[in-house]
């Protein structure tokens, strides 16, 4: 009994215990849920506070920072800005949800309105407090971003000011005897250190124990490098030269041959020098501290070989007629030597700077080195700007003058294009000569940094421009070859009459290639002009990832992706149109008008999809276009009524199809066959092969006779007149026989002979019949007239024609003489004889 009582007690309190546990668990979950929303907000507040403190610290360090410290501050600020606010998207989403909840509660009642419920007021208060917290953290984060942008701008201004201070700094004159003596001492001291270091390294390398396998790899690498440097290179060049001797030197082939010769010379040398560098590194001959010198030397060796290969390929003395530039032999050798000397000067300068940095900098030695490099480059630039250096040989000048004389005017004056080209070249030579003199003068008076900067950057920019021009020329020639093949393929297709026109696809591809080439060359140009590589890389990354203009965020990557999507969708649309035209329509029993409407609708749908996809990829909000549409509606209401009317009428023509391609229409402006229906207008080709452009609104609102709307069946009428002396029944029987024998006239509906009227001089009949194809009406009428004429001649039936009797008296007709009596003669004289052949 006790056990039964305990069981009853358990039954009495266990449900209450379970209910309490459930309530406790629910409260815990609610507390956790309430607290879970706060940790994100609390973490965001801590992150914003920490970022603000770090930015303030970096702002304090900005006051006395210079050089590398500015770079460190810039990198830290950029890292803080890129890190931004953690879970910013989640916080923004929660902020927007709270705003939506607050809007759902409605506006707060005014003092004169009845008070709202307490629960609603408490909920409104809670939402406002939470919304204020989220707004505060997001605004503080935006403030940190603005502060980071300001610090980055201050760092850029400080570095720019420091750059110009160094560039415009007044150094001692490099012609000063004290500076020269100090530089000479530093040079001999550095040379002794370098020779001693090389000797010690060679001795250490000889003392090291090298395995047979290592020596085998060393010898094999040297052998492969030598094979690439000489036999392989010569074999490749001989094959290219043999091909050029067999081919004709056209314009595009000369550019392709120059590119092939350049790569044929450069690639074996590049591989050979790379193998030599790897062999030296594998043999541990170069110490670790000199690795940077080795990399700089190899880089400039590659540049030197590339310049040598390009110049040799441009002049191309191996095969006559394949030269891109025609110059005299002595001038050609001089130009090549000057370009190679300039490249070697820049390379030696870079290598010596690395060696001086490794052995210890000396101000006087660096000054003299910069001055010497600036003067040498200025002299070379001055010599290269002379006209005589680029003057073609006598035979080339004669050919050029003969070619120009063939297009000159009759009075012997130069054409405007040739004159403008010569003026531009002369102005460029003058600018380069003056620029070279400025470099020499600036270096001599102590502005060595300015002279060195101008001289080196001039050659760097020239090299970058030449490289860009070469790449562009290669791309253009490749597009010309591709376009030529496309034109030939179009010419082989039946019905293609525009095979001799240039391809628009190639034009747009070439334009896109030029745009991409400019984008690729702009960052190196900024680096050449003195911008830091990290700044340029950050700028390029920001440009591609996105930058904000007002409230719109743009990026080159989004722009390129939008263009790519637009072109891709249009290409797919064009493929679908071609597929439907070649594979689908031939197996469908639909007329050409339906095919044209379907093809046009596919094009319009594809264009709309391409536009929407491109705009969405760029980042524009399509809903914002509603504002633009609203603004345009005002202009549409005033000035674009006819355009919109024609547009809507064009859609009606395409969907309702009262007029189709190939229909024979008759309008007030004439008649002809419908050739094309576009959105704005319709093209109608008359029977004189003239095109009439008719606005679509005229076809919809005006009266148009469509002779082939439902089908091509139509009726023809051939009028004929016979003499009053003929029997009408006989004439009608003969006409019935004639029309019954005509194959173009249908038997049902049966033809009909109509006695039309009693004419002035004939009995008028009409032959009426139906044709299966009304476009054969002219042919059928001609056949019927010929048959009627022959049959009437056989039957002796007269086809009358009007008779006119003309009486002439004194040079005037009798009727006119009666109506207008002749004035009296002014005096006596012989009467005029009647005209010959006149009868009374």
């Amino acid at each position: 009994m006790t056990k039964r009582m305990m069981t009853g007690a358990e039954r009495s309190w266990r449900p209450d215990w379970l209910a309490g546990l459930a309530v406790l668990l629910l409260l815990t979950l609610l507390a956790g849920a309430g607290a879970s929303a706060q940790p994100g907000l609390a973490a965001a507040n801590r992150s914003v506070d920490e970022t603000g403190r770090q930015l303030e610290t970096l702002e304090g360090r900005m006051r006395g920072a210079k050089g590398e410290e500015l770079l460190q501050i810039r990198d830290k600020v950029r890292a803080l800005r890129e890190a931004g606010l953690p879970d910013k998207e989640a916080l923004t989403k929660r902020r927007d949800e709270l705003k939506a909840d607050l809007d759902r509660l409605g506006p707060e009642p005014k003092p004169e309105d009845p008070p709202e419920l307490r629960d609603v007021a408490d909920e409104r208060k809670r939402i406002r407090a939470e919304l204020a917290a989220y707004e505060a953290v997001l605004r503080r984060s935006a403030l940190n971003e603005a502060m980071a942008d300001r610090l980055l701008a201050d760092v850029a201004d400080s570095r720019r000011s420091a750059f110009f201070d160094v560039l415009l700094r007044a150094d001692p004159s490099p012609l000063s005897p004290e500076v020269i003596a100090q530089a000479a001492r530093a040079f001999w001291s550095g040379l002794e250190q370098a020779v001693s270091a090389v000797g010690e390294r060679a001795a250490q390398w000889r003392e090291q124990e090298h395995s047979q396998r290592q020596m085998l790899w060393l010898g094999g690498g040297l052998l492969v490098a030598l094979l690439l440097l000489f036999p392989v290179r010569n074999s490749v060049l001989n094959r290219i030269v043999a091909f050029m001797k067999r081919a004709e030197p056209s314009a595009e082939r000369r550019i392709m041959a120059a590119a092939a010769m350049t790569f044929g010379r450069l690639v074996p040398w590049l591989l050979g020098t790379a193998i030599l560098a790897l062999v030296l590194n594998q043999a541990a001959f170069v110490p670790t501290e000199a690795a940077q010198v080795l990399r700089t030397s190899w880089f400039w060796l590659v540049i030197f070989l590339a310049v040598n290969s390009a110049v040799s390929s441009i002049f191309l003395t191996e095969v006559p007629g394949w030269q891109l530039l025609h110059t005299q032999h002595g001038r050609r050798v001089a130009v090549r030597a000057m370009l190679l000397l300039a490249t070697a000067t820049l390379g030696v300068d870079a290598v010596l700077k690395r060696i001086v940095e490794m052995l210890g900098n000396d101000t006087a030695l660096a000054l003299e080195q910069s001055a010497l490099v600036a003067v040498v480059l200025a002299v070379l630039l001055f010599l290269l700007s002379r006209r005589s250096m680029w003057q073609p040989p006598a035979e080339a000048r004669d050919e050029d003058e003969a070619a120009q004389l063939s297009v000159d005017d009759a009075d012997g004056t130069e054409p405007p294009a040739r004159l403008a080209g010569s003026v531009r070249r002369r102005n460029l030579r003058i600018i380069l000569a003056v620029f070279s003199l400025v470099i020499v003068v600036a270096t001599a008076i102590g502005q060595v940094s300015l002279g060195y900067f101008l001289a080196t950057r001039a050659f760097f920019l020239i090299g970058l421009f030449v490289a860009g021009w070469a790449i562009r020329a290669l791309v253009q020639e490749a597009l010309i070859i591709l376009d030529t093949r496309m034109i030939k393929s179009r010419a082989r297709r039946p019905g293609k009459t525009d095979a001799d026109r240039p391809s628009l696809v190639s034009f747009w591809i070439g334009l896109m290639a030029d745009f991409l080439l400019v984008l690729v060359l702009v960052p190196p140009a900024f680096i050449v002009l003195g911008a830091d590589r990290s700044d340029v890389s950050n700028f390029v990354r920001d440009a591609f990832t996105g930058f904000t203009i007002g409230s719109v965020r743009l990026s080159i990557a989004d722009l390129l992706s939008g263009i790519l999507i637009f072109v891709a969708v249009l290409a797919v649309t064009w493929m679908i149109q071609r597929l439907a035209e070649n594979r689908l329509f031939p197996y469908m029993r639909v007329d050409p008008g339906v095919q044209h409407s379907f093809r046009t609708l596919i094009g319009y749908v594809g264009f709309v999809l391409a536009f929407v996809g491109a705009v969405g990829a760029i980042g524009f909000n399509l809903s914002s276009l509603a504002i633009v549409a609203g603004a345009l509606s005002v202009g549409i209401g005033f000035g674009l009524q006819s355009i919109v009317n024609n547009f809507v009428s064009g859609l009606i023509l395409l969907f309702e199809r009262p007029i189709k391609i190939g229909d024979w229409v008759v309008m007030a402006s004439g008649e002809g066959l419908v050739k094309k229906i576009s959105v704005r207008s319709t093209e109608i080709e008359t029977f004189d092969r003239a095109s009439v452009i008719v606005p679509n609104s005229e076809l919809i609102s005006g009266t148009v006779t469509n002779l082939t709307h439902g089908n091509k069946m139509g009726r023809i009428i051939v009028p004929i007149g016979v003499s009053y002396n003929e029997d009408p029944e006989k004439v009608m029987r003969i006409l019935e026989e004639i029309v019954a024998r005509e194959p173009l006239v249908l038997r049902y509906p049966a033809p009909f002979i109509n006695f039309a009227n009693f004419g002035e001089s004939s009995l008028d009949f009409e032959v009426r019949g139906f044709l299966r194809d009304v476009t054969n009406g002219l042919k059928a009428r001609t056949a019927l007239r010929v048959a009627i004429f022959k049959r009437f001649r056989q039957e002796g039936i007269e086809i009358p024609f009007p008779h006119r009797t003309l009486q002439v008296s004194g040079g005037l007709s009798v009727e006119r003489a009666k109506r207008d009596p002749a004035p009296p003669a002014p005096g006596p004289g012989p009467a005029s004889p009647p005209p010959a052949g006149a009868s009374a």
Side-chain angles (χ1 to χ4, degrees), residues 659-675:
I659 296 174
K660 306 181 298 297
I661 300 296
D663 284 353
W664 182 357
V665 296
V666 180
M667 304 176 299
S669 57
E671 62 177 321
L673 300 178
V674 179
K675 301 297 291 183

Side-chain angles (χ1 to χ4, degrees), residues 56-224:
E56 291 176 357
T57 303
L58 293 175
E59 186 178 16
R61 290 177 54 188
M62 273 282 299
R63 296 183 178 88
K66 293 182 180 180
E68 292 294 332
E69 189 176 1
L70 282 176
L71 294 178
Q72 296 175 1
I73 293 175
R74 182 203 61 188
D75 295 339
K76 291 182 180 180
V77 172
R78 182 174 289 276
L80 290 174
R81 193 189 185 287
E82 291 177 354
L85 180 63
D87 298 333
K88 184 177 180 179
E89 296 182 359
L91 295 174
T92 304
K93 181 179 178 180
R94 179 57 181 165
R95 190 261 323 263
D96 296 337
E97 292 174 354
L98 291 173
K99 285 184 177 180
D101 293 341
L102 193 61
D103 294 336
R104 293 188 186 96
L105 292 178
E108 189 175 2
K110 298 179 181 179
E112 61 272 13
D113 295 337
E116 61 183 356
L117 297 176
R118 182 177 182 84
D119 295 340
V120 175
D122 294 341
E123 184 66 18
R124 187 191 304 277
K125 184 178 179 180
R126 185 192 66 79
I127 292 177
R128 284 181 175 177
E130 189 175 354
L131 179 61
Y134 280 98
E135 288 280 3
V137 70
L138 290 174
R139 290 178 181 178
R140 289 166 57 200
S141 176
L143 186 62
N144 287 339
E145 291 180 0
M147 185 177 181
D149 292 337
R150 186 174 65 252
L151 289 178
L152 290 175
D154 293 341
V155 170
D157 293 339
S158 301
R159 296 183 65 242
R160 191 181 303 112
S161 300
F163 171 76
F164 282 107
D165 290 341
V166 173
L167 189 63
L168 302 177
R169 180 184 59 198
D171 298 316
S173 175
L175 302 177
S176 174
E178 293 82 3
V179 177
I180 296 176
Q182 183 179 355
R185 290 192 298 269
F187 175 76
W188 288 113
S189 176
L191 183 60
E192 292 176 355
Q193 294 180 17
V195 171
S196 175
V198 172
E200 292 178 0
R201 186 59 185 172
Q204 293 176 2
W205 188 81
R206 287 194 299 267
E207 293 175 358
Q208 292 177 355
E209 294 182 359
H210 300 284
S211 63
Q212 184 178 2
R213 184 177 180 181
Q214 187 177 7
M215 297 302 297
L216 183 61
W217 276 103
L218 180 60
L222 291 175
L223 179 61
V224 172

Side-chain angles (χ1 to χ4, degrees), residues 293-350:
V293 177
L294 179 62
R295 284 193 293 266
T296 304
S297 302
W298 182 81
F299 173 78
W300 278 102
L301 179 61
V302 172
I303 297 297
F304 181 85
L305 295 175
V307 173
N308 180 38
S309 302
V311 174
S312 301
S313 302
I314 288 174
F315 293 125
L316 202 62
T317 58
E318 290 85 354
V319 185
W322 288 81
Q323 295 84 0
L324 290 178
L325 291 178
H326 295 275
T327 56
Q328 299 178 6
H329 177 70
R331 303 300 184 187
R332 182 165 60 245
V333 174
V335 168
R336 179 180 178 183
M338 291 178 189
L339 292 175
L340 293 179
L341 180 58
T343 307
T345 302
L346 293 171
V348 171
D349 175 61

